[in-house]
Amino acid sequence: MKSMFFQLACAAAISAMLVIAPAHAGADLNRSEVSTLVTSAGASMLVSAPLLLVASVADKSSTAAGERQARRVSAGPLPDMKVEAITQDADGGRSVALADPLDAANTASLHWPQREDNPASNFVLGQTVAFTPSPQGAGWMVRAEDGAVLTFVPAIEAASVSHSGKL
């Protein structure tokens, strides 16, 4: 989809060329008419070029924003899960193993690298946690049975964007 700026710039360039071109353009032009035509065409391009440049940048910008929105996958609903294990990894990080009480094959693990705060300490062995999609769809708020927020889990797409510094 072309932007309105691009259409405007093209219309301006075409109308400028039509206004300056003599009605009898052809083989019978004298040197003065040819010079006027070339000079006028050059001047109209100097006026039109910035419009075309702005239109091109605006079109690319809107296309890039549309592609980012298309790539972003909104965090969907997840089942409530039971905390099966809370462990400390060999590298000092923490992990929480989760399982769906209604489907034993449906499991998940949350991992945090070693850091001063310990998000895993918010979890209790055997508790059921709920995943509620965040308002912007970038991940899930993990909540305890009483509604308290335990942690935020980013969606894979949001985590990769944040990790790359593009968020």
Side-chain angles (χ1 to χ4, degrees):
M1 182 171 143
K2 294 185 179 182
S3 70
M4 183 177 77
F5 290 118
F6 183 72
Q7 293 170 354
L8 178 64
C10 287
I14 291 170
S15 64
M17 292 300 289
L18 291 176
V19 168
I20 59 168
H24 62 280
D28 57 343
L29 292 177
N30 64 33
R31 288 185 147 192
S32 175
E33 291 173 329
V34 169
S35 174
T36 301
L37 182 62
V38 169
T39 303
S40 299
S44 70
M45 287 310 295
L46 285 174
V47 171
S48 301
L51 289 175
L52 290 170
L53 179 62
V54 168
S56 173
V57 169
D59 192 41
K60 286 179 185 175
S61 174
S62 66
T63 301
E67 287 175 2
R68 276 194 303 271
Q69 285 292 8
R71 281 192 311 233
R72 176 176 241 176
V73 176
S74 185
L78 292 176
D80 290 353
M81 301 188 102
K82 184 177 178 183
V83 177
E84 295 288 316
I86 303 169
T87 58
Q88 183 168 348
D89 301 334
D91 64 358
R94 304 289 176 135
S95 296
V96 174
L98 304 168
D100 185 346
L102 303 176
D103 181 5
N106 189 14
T107 62
S109 280
L110 303 176
H111 299 280
W112 293 274
Q114 182 179 8
R115 55 193 232 190
E116 289 194 25
D117 66 331
N118 177 12
S121 67
N122 297 331
F123 292 83
V124 177
L125 194 60
Q127 89 182 120
T128 300
V129 296
F131 290 83
T132 55
S134 67
Q136 289 80 25
W140 299 267
M141 301 302 292
V142 181
R143 298 181 184 274
E145 293 160 334
D146 64 358
V149 175
L150 302 174
T151 192
F152 172 76
V153 178
I156 291 172
E157 294 81 9
S160 66
V161 169
S162 178
H163 180 68
S164 67
K166 295 179 184 176
L167 187 64

